[in-house]
Every structure is written in C-alpha cells, then in structure tokens.
Amino acid sequence: MTESLILPAGQDDLARFGTLRWPDDESRRLWFHLAQSAPNCAWVARDEGTPIGIAIAHPLEDEWFLSDLFVERSFRGVGLGRQLLTEAAKDAGDVTRSGLLKPDEIGGVAFFVRRGVSLQTPVLQITGTIPREEDVARMAAGDYRFTTELLDPIAQRLALSALDREIRGSARPLDHHYFSQHAHGVAFYLRDEFVGYTYVWPSGKIGPMCSTSPSYLVQFFAFAMAALVRVHGASWCSLLAPGTNLRILRAAMRAGLTIESLHIFASDGPPPELSRYIGFHPLLF
C-alpha cells in the first residue's frame, strides 16, 4: 500500500461515503449537513486516489464533537483513523472535545484516550413500538401540568442556549435551526417558565430532549411519543438515553421498549448533566 493522503473531503467523496454510511434519507441528510456546515470539518483519506476513509467534526459554541469516523476495513490498523482525527481536530482551538463512540471503534477510542479524553457515560439506543394511547396518556398524567408551544429557535434562543449550556455544556443555536426545519419541536412551560424542549422526527426518533429538572422527563417522554403518533403517524420510536438518565431508562423498559445498541459518550470537559437529556442520533448527540 502506498502512503495515504489526508485531504479536505470533496463533493464526490461526500456523495460516496454518505450513501455508504447512512442508507436512510433522514440520516443521510443530517450527515451531509454536518459535512458541509463548517469549513475544514470533513477530511478524507486517499490511497492512490481512491477514497478509503473519512472523518467529520461538528463545531459547537464551546465543543468539538466527532460526528463520524470511518476507514475501509482492508485499510484499518495502520493509523489512518488517527491521522483523519488529528487533521479534523487541529483547528478546534481551546474547546471541549467530545464524541459518541461505539465500543468497537478502537481507533476513535484510542485517539480520545491518548489525548486525555475520558470515556464518561454509556448511552443506550432504545427502540420499540409506541405503547397504546391509554398507556401513554397514563404516563403523561404525572405530577405537573405543563403548557406547550411550537419551538421557535429564534424567539426562544436565549432560553434554549441557557439550558443547553447547563446540560450539554455548549449552546447549539445552529443545530436548533436544523432541528426545527426537519423535525417537530415543542417547548414546555410550567407556570409560564420555560422548563425544557423536545423534538420528534418523521422516522420515529425522539430528541434531543432537555429539561431543567429530571422530574419532568417522563412526562416529556410520554408527550413525545403521543406527538409522534399525532404529527407523524408513527407506530415506532427510537431515542439515545444516557446511562445516568435512569428515569427515562426505567420508563422505556416499563413501556416495552428494548435496548438495541450501546455507545459511549467521551469528553475531556466536565461531565455534562445527562440525567436531564436524551439524544436522537449518534451523528449529533
């Protein structure tokens, strides 16, 4: 094998890897959005002109998030993943570095560990059939009486940014703009005070979901499942539940949902308050 070159990804590279990596339309749309949303965030490895690997980073306000890392199987084990990540991260600056890794992504795990990035929290992908309407209604009828309104990422930007900084460690106004274009977003209020938000997607995904109190999350979760049925006609749902979010994990298990896969949230920053958070996609946790 000749020496591989690491270069900024071009449109042909993105078209090739986007289709290869994410066969469903929603994931592929998100993948292309991330690859094209900021300069020097997508890097490709080439061997004799053939693209064999790609890395995509996503810059937030105070965070550099690894969205995707892939190297063709026959080229693994020679350091290409490390080279791709080094190039993608070189302009990140003095920010928190994080990522949602699969346990078998040894290259990404090793890259983060070598740079002092700790493997902080398991994140479980939960999937299953949405419970019957009466069961969801019973779950939603908790101790609190929330009012809701459609989420407006511009009008509610200050409240969203403050909550995201508190929970995830970084504001993400551009992400909310994308979410609001492609998903149904809802803001929750308690006695006229903003207390959280959630999005539901046409594919059945729930999240991101964020709350000022863990006590609210089960009712938010029930509302999200009902919204999936009402808005998108969904019968199935999926979410990324951090291992520290026991309220949601227990509620999901009681509702008959199952654990489909496991990821690991890694970060070199202070552990975020993920007991009040649900993610929706490993590309943009």
Side-chain angles (χ1 to χ4, degrees):
M1 184 181 73
T2 60
E3 182 178 357
S4 298
L5 298 176
I6 309 298
L7 301 167
Q11 289 300 313
D12 290 343
D13 301 318
L14 298 182
R16 178 180 186 276
F17 283 112
T19 302
L20 175 68
R21 297 289 287 143
W22 304 101
D24 65 284
D25 290 341
E26 187 177 275
S27 294
R28 189 162 53 249
R29 185 189 307 116
L30 175 60
W31 192 91
F32 276 103
H33 165 73
L34 295 171
Q36 298 171 322
S37 61
N40 299 327
C41 285
W43 293 82
V44 67
R46 292 180 176 277
D47 182 72
E48 296 184 346
T50 300
I52 56 174
I54 193 164
I56 296 176
H58 182 54
L60 301 172
E61 179 188 54
D62 295 308
E63 182 180 358
W64 177 96
F65 184 83
L66 172 63
S67 287
D68 200 16
L69 173 66
F70 174 77
V71 176
E72 296 280 5
R73 186 171 298 277
S74 59
F75 291 90
R76 296 176 187 175
V78 296
L80 283 180
R82 183 184 70 252
Q83 293 177 51
L84 282 165
L85 288 171
T86 298
E87 200 65 44
K90 72 177 184 180
D91 295 326
D94 186 20
V95 297
T96 295
R97 287 164 170 77
S98 64
L100 198 63
L101 306 173
K102 291 183 179 179
D104 60 351
E105 289 178 342
I106 303 303
V109 171
F111 174 84
F112 274 23
V113 170
R114 276 194 292 266
R115 284 152 181 80
V117 180
S118 61
L119 308 181
Q120 292 186 354
T121 307
V123 176
L124 307 175
Q125 181 165 354
I126 308 294
T127 62
T129 302
I130 296 173
R132 296 176 303 174
E133 182 180 356
E134 56 267 32
D135 294 331
V136 173
R138 196 159 38 244
M139 187 186 300
D143 297 330
Y144 304 97
R145 296 295 177 263
F146 301 104
T147 57
T148 62
E149 63 180 45
L150 289 178
L151 196 150
D152 184 330
I154 297 176
Q156 296 159 331
R157 176 170 178 163
L158 293 179
L160 290 169
S161 292
L163 184 56
D164 287 335
R165 289 190 189 102
E166 179 185 347
I167 303 301
R168 279 286 281 108
S170 184
R172 52 197 308 183
L174 295 180
D175 289 349
H176 282 290
H177 180 69
Y178 179 87
F179 300 155
S180 66
Q181 287 183 318
H182 299 285
H184 179 75
V186 175
F188 294 91
Y189 292 84
L190 185 62
R191 293 184 289 274
D192 297 325
E193 179 183 356
F194 177 85
V195 294
Y197 66 83
T198 191
Y199 293 91
V200 296
W201 298 75
S203 65
K205 290 183 174 64
I206 296 172
M209 179 187 293
C210 210
S211 170
T212 59
S213 169
S215 300
Y216 305 155
L217 276 175
V218 172
Q219 287 181 258
F220 288 7
F221 179 39
F223 180 94
M225 289 191 291
L228 276 175
V229 176
R230 184 181 68 253
V231 177
H232 298 304
S235 60
W236 175 94
C237 67
S238 171
L239 59 144
L240 292 173
T244 53
N245 195 335
L246 291 176
R247 292 175 186 262
I248 287 297
L249 289 172
R250 293 174 64 187
M253 298 299 100
R254 287 196 298 267
L257 306 185
T258 59
I259 299 171
E260 183 175 279
S261 61
L262 172 69
H263 296 76
I264 300 172
F265 179 76
S267 175
D268 62 359
E273 187 52 69
L274 296 182
S275 64
R276 292 187 274 155
Y277 185 77
I278 288 175
F280 84 107
H281 203 292
L283 283 169
L284 190 55
F285 179 67

Coordinates of all heavy atoms in Angstrom, one line a residue, residues 56-102:
I56 N -15.6 13.4 10.1 CA -16.4 14.6 10.2 C -16.5 15.1 11.6 O -16.9 14.3 12.5 CB -17.8 14.3 9.6 CG1 -17.7 13.9 8.1 CG2 -18.7 15.6 9.7 CD1 -19.1 13.6 7.5
A57 N -16.2 16.4 11.8 CA -16.3 17.0 13.1 C -17.4 18.0 13.0 O -17.7 18.6 12.0 CB -15.0 17.7 13.4
H58 N -18.0 18.3 14.2 CA -19.1 19.3 14.2 C -18.7 20.3 15.4 O -18.7 20.0 16.5 CB -20.4 18.6 14.5 CG -21.6 19.6 14.6 ND1 -21.9 20.4 13.6 CD2 -22.5 19.8 15.6 CE1 -22.9 21.1 13.9 NE2 -23.3 20.8 15.1
P59 N -18.4 21.6 15.0 CA -18.1 22.6 16.0 C -19.3 23.2 16.6 O -20.3 23.6 15.9 CB -17.3 23.6 15.2 CG -17.8 23.5 13.8 CD -18.2 22.1 13.6
L60 N -19.4 23.2 17.9 CA -20.4 23.9 18.6 C -19.8 25.2 19.3 O -18.7 25.5 19.0 CB -21.1 23.0 19.7 CG -21.7 21.7 19.2 CD1 -22.1 20.8 20.3 CD2 -22.9 22.0 18.3
E61 N -20.6 25.8 20.1 CA -20.1 27.0 20.8 C -18.8 26.8 21.5 O -17.8 27.5 21.3 CB -21.2 27.6 21.7 CG -20.8 28.8 22.5 CD -21.8 29.2 23.5 OE1 -22.1 28.3 24.4 OE2 -22.3 30.3 23.5
D62 N -18.7 25.8 22.4 CA -17.6 25.5 23.2 C -17.2 24.1 23.2 O -16.7 23.5 24.1 CB -17.8 25.9 24.7 CG -18.0 27.4 24.8 OD1 -17.1 28.2 24.4 OD2 -19.0 27.8 25.4
E63 N -17.5 23.4 22.0 CA -17.3 22.0 21.9 C -16.9 21.6 20.5 O -17.5 22.1 19.5 CB -18.6 21.3 22.4 CG -18.5 19.8 22.4 CD -19.8 19.1 22.9 OE1 -20.7 19.9 23.2 OE2 -19.9 17.9 22.9
W64 N -16.0 20.6 20.4 CA -15.7 20.0 19.1 C -16.2 18.6 19.2 O -15.7 17.8 20.1 CB -14.2 20.0 18.9 CG -13.7 19.3 17.6 CD1 -13.4 19.9 16.4 CD2 -13.4 18.0 17.5 NE1 -13.0 19.0 15.5 CE2 -12.9 17.8 16.2 CE3 -13.4 16.9 18.3 CZ2 -12.5 16.5 15.7 CZ3 -13.0 15.6 17.9 CH2 -12.6 15.4 16.5
F65 N -17.2 18.2 18.4 CA -17.9 16.9 18.5 C -17.5 16.1 17.3 O -17.7 16.5 16.2 CB -19.4 17.1 18.6 CG -20.1 15.8 18.8 CD1 -20.2 15.3 20.1 CD2 -20.7 15.1 17.8 CE1 -20.9 14.1 20.3 CE2 -21.4 13.9 18.0 CZ -21.5 13.4 19.2
L66 N -17.0 14.9 17.5 CA -16.7 13.9 16.5 C -18.0 13.3 16.0 O -18.6 12.5 16.7 CB -15.8 12.9 16.9 CG -15.5 11.7 15.9 CD1 -14.9 12.2 14.7 CD2 -14.7 10.6 16.6
S67 N -18.5 13.6 14.8 CA -19.7 13.1 14.3 C -19.5 11.7 13.6 O -20.4 10.8 13.8 CB -20.3 14.1 13.3 OG -20.9 15.2 13.9
D68 N -18.5 11.6 12.8 CA -18.3 10.3 12.1 C -16.9 10.0 11.9 O -16.1 11.0 11.6 CB -19.1 10.4 10.8 CG -19.4 9.0 10.2 OD1 -19.3 8.0 11.0 OD2 -19.7 8.9 9.0
L69 N -16.5 8.8 11.9 CA -15.2 8.3 11.6 C -15.3 6.9 10.9 O -16.0 6.0 11.5 CB -14.3 8.2 12.8 CG -12.9 7.5 12.6 CD1 -12.0 8.4 11.7 CD2 -12.3 7.2 14.0
F70 N -14.8 6.8 9.7 CA -14.9 5.5 9.0 C -13.6 5.3 8.2 O -13.1 6.2 7.5 CB -16.1 5.5 8.1 CG -16.2 4.3 7.2 CD1 -16.6 3.1 7.7 CD2 -15.8 4.4 5.9 CE1 -16.7 2.0 6.9 CE2 -15.9 3.3 5.0 CZ -16.3 2.1 5.5
V71 N -13.1 4.1 8.2 CA -12.0 3.7 7.4 C -12.3 2.3 6.8 O -12.8 1.4 7.5 CB -10.6 3.5 8.2 CG1 -9.5 3.0 7.3 CG2 -10.2 4.9 8.8
E72 N -12.1 2.1 5.5 CA -12.4 0.9 4.8 C -11.7 -0.3 5.6 O -10.6 -0.1 6.0 CB -12.0 0.9 3.4 CG -12.7 1.9 2.5 CD -14.0 1.4 2.0 OE1 -14.4 0.3 2.5 OE2 -14.7 2.1 1.2
R73 N -12.4 -1.4 5.7 CA -11.9 -2.5 6.6 C -10.5 -2.9 6.2 O -9.7 -3.2 7.1 CB -12.9 -3.7 6.5 CG -12.5 -4.8 7.5 CD -13.7 -5.8 7.5 NE -14.9 -5.2 7.9 CZ -15.2 -5.1 9.2 NH1 -14.3 -5.4 10.2 NH2 -16.4 -4.5 9.6
S74 N -10.2 -3.0 4.9 CA -8.9 -3.6 4.5 C -7.7 -2.6 4.8 O -6.6 -2.9 4.6 CB -8.9 -3.9 3.0 OG -9.2 -2.8 2.2
F75 N -8.1 -1.3 5.2 CA -7.0 -0.3 5.4 C -6.9 0.0 6.9 O -6.2 0.9 7.3 CB -7.3 0.9 4.6 CG -7.1 0.8 3.2 CD1 -8.2 0.4 2.3 CD2 -5.9 1.0 2.6 CE1 -8.0 0.3 1.0 CE2 -5.7 0.9 1.2 CZ -6.8 0.5 0.4
R76 N -7.6 -0.7 7.8 CA -7.6 -0.5 9.2 C -6.3 -1.0 9.8 O -5.7 -1.9 9.3 CB -8.8 -1.0 9.9 CG -10.1 -0.4 9.4 CD -11.4 -1.0 10.0 NE -12.6 -0.5 9.3 CZ -13.8 -0.9 9.5 NH1 -14.0 -1.9 10.4 NH2 -14.8 -0.3 8.9
G77 N -6.0 -0.5 11.0 CA -4.8 -1.0 11.7 C -3.5 -0.3 11.3 O -2.5 -0.7 11.9
V78 N -3.5 0.7 10.5 CA -2.3 1.3 10.1 C -2.2 2.8 10.5 O -1.4 3.6 10.0 CB -2.0 1.2 8.5 CG1 -1.8 -0.3 8.2 CG2 -3.2 1.8 7.7
G79 N -3.2 3.2 11.3 CA -3.1 4.6 11.8 C -3.9 5.6 11.0 O -3.8 6.8 11.3
L80 N -4.7 5.2 10.0 CA -5.5 6.2 9.2 C -6.5 6.9 10.0 O -6.8 8.1 9.8 CB -6.1 5.5 8.0 CG -5.2 5.1 6.8 CD1 -6.0 4.5 5.7 CD2 -4.5 6.4 6.3
G81 N -7.2 6.2 10.9 CA -8.2 6.8 11.7 C -7.6 7.9 12.6 O -8.1 9.0 12.7
R82 N -6.4 7.6 13.1 CA -5.7 8.6 14.0 C -5.3 9.8 13.1 O -5.5 11.0 13.6 CB -4.5 8.0 14.6 CG -3.7 9.0 15.5 CD -2.4 8.4 16.0 NE -1.4 8.2 14.9 CZ -1.0 7.1 14.4 NH1 -1.6 5.9 14.8 NH2 -0.1 7.1 13.4
Q83 N -4.8 9.6 11.9 CA -4.5 10.7 11.0 C -5.7 11.6 10.7 O -5.6 12.8 10.7 CB -3.8 10.2 9.8 CG -2.5 9.5 10.0 CD -1.9 8.9 8.7 OE1 -1.8 9.6 7.7 NE2 -1.6 7.6 8.7
L84 N -6.8 10.9 10.3 CA -8.0 11.7 10.0 C -8.5 12.5 11.2 O -8.8 13.7 11.0 CB -9.1 10.7 9.6 CG -9.0 10.1 8.2 CD1 -10.0 8.9 8.1 CD2 -9.4 11.1 7.1
L85 N -8.5 12.0 12.3 CA -9.0 12.7 13.5 C -8.0 13.8 13.9 O -8.4 14.9 14.3 CB -9.1 11.7 14.7 CG -10.3 10.8 14.6 CD1 -10.3 9.8 15.7 CD2 -11.6 11.6 14.6
T86 N -6.7 13.6 13.7 CA -5.7 14.7 14.0 C -6.0 15.8 13.1 O -5.9 17.0 13.5 CB -4.3 14.1 13.9 OG1 -4.1 13.1 14.8 CG2 -3.3 15.2 14.1
E87 N -6.2 15.6 11.8 CA -6.4 16.7 10.9 C -7.7 17.4 11.2 O -7.8 18.6 11.1 CB -6.5 16.1 9.5 CG -6.2 17.1 8.4 CD -4.8 17.7 8.4 OE1 -3.9 17.0 8.6 OE2 -4.7 19.0 8.3
A88 N -8.8 16.6 11.5 CA -10.1 17.2 11.7 C -10.1 18.1 13.0 O -10.8 19.0 13.1 CB -11.2 16.1 11.8
A89 N -9.2 17.7 14.0 CA -9.2 18.4 15.3 C -8.2 19.5 15.4 O -8.2 20.3 16.3 CB -9.0 17.4 16.4
K90 N -7.4 19.7 14.4 CA -6.2 20.6 14.5 C -6.6 22.1 14.7 O -5.9 22.9 15.3 CB -5.2 20.4 13.4 CG -5.7 21.0 12.0 CD -4.6 20.8 11.0 CE -5.1 21.5 9.7 NZ -4.0 21.3 8.6
D91 N -7.8 22.5 14.1 CA -8.2 23.9 14.2 C -9.3 24.0 15.2 O -10.0 25.1 15.3 CB -8.7 24.3 12.8 CG -7.6 24.4 11.8 OD1 -6.5 24.7 12.2 OD2 -7.9 24.1 10.6
A92 N -9.5 23.0 16.1 CA -10.6 23.1 17.0 C -10.5 24.2 18.1 O -11.4 24.8 18.6 CB -10.8 21.8 17.7
G93 N -9.2 24.5 18.4 CA -9.0 25.6 19.4 C -9.1 25.0 20.8 O -9.2 23.8 21.1
D94 N -9.2 25.9 21.8 CA -9.3 25.6 23.2 C -10.8 25.3 23.6 O -11.4 26.2 24.2 CB -8.7 26.7 24.0 CG -8.6 26.3 25.5 OD1 -8.7 25.1 25.8 OD2 -8.6 27.2 26.4
V95 N -11.3 24.2 23.2 CA -12.7 23.8 23.4 C -12.7 22.4 23.9 O -11.7 21.6 23.8 CB -13.6 24.0 22.2 CG1 -13.7 25.4 21.7 CG2 -13.1 23.1 21.1
T96 N -13.9 22.0 24.5 CA -14.1 20.6 24.9 C -14.1 19.7 23.6 O -14.8 20.1 22.6 CB -15.4 20.5 25.7 OG1 -15.3 21.2 26.9 CG2 -15.7 19.0 26.0
R97 N -13.4 18.6 23.7 CA -13.5 17.6 22.6 C -14.4 16.5 23.1 O -14.2 15.9 24.2 CB -12.1 17.1 22.2 CG -11.3 18.2 21.4 CD -9.8 17.9 21.4 NE -9.1 18.7 20.5 CZ -8.8 20.0 20.7 NH1 -9.1 20.6 21.8 NH2 -8.1 20.7 19.8
S98 N -15.3 16.1 22.3 CA -16.2 15.0 22.7 C -16.6 14.2 21.5 O -16.4 14.5 20.3 CB -17.5 15.6 23.3 OG -18.2 16.4 22.4
G99 N -17.3 13.1 21.7 CA -17.8 12.2 20.7 C -18.6 11.1 21.3 O -18.6 10.8 22.5
L100 N -19.5 10.5 20.4 CA -20.3 9.4 20.8 C -19.7 8.2 20.0 O -19.8 8.1 18.8 CB -21.7 9.6 20.4 CG -22.8 8.7 21.1 CD1 -22.7 8.9 22.6 CD2 -24.1 9.0 20.6
L101 N -19.0 7.3 20.8 CA -18.3 6.2 20.1 C -19.0 4.9 20.3 O -19.6 4.6 21.4 CB -16.9 6.1 20.8 CG -16.1 7.4 20.7 CD1 -14.8 7.2 21.5 CD2 -15.8 7.9 19.3
K102 N -18.8 4.0 19.3 CA -19.2 2.6 19.5 C -18.0 1.9 20.2 O -16.9 2.2 20.0 CB -19.5 2.0 18.2 CG -20.7 2.5 17.5 CD -21.0 1.7 16.2 CE -22.3 2.2 15.5 NZ -22.5 1.5 14.2

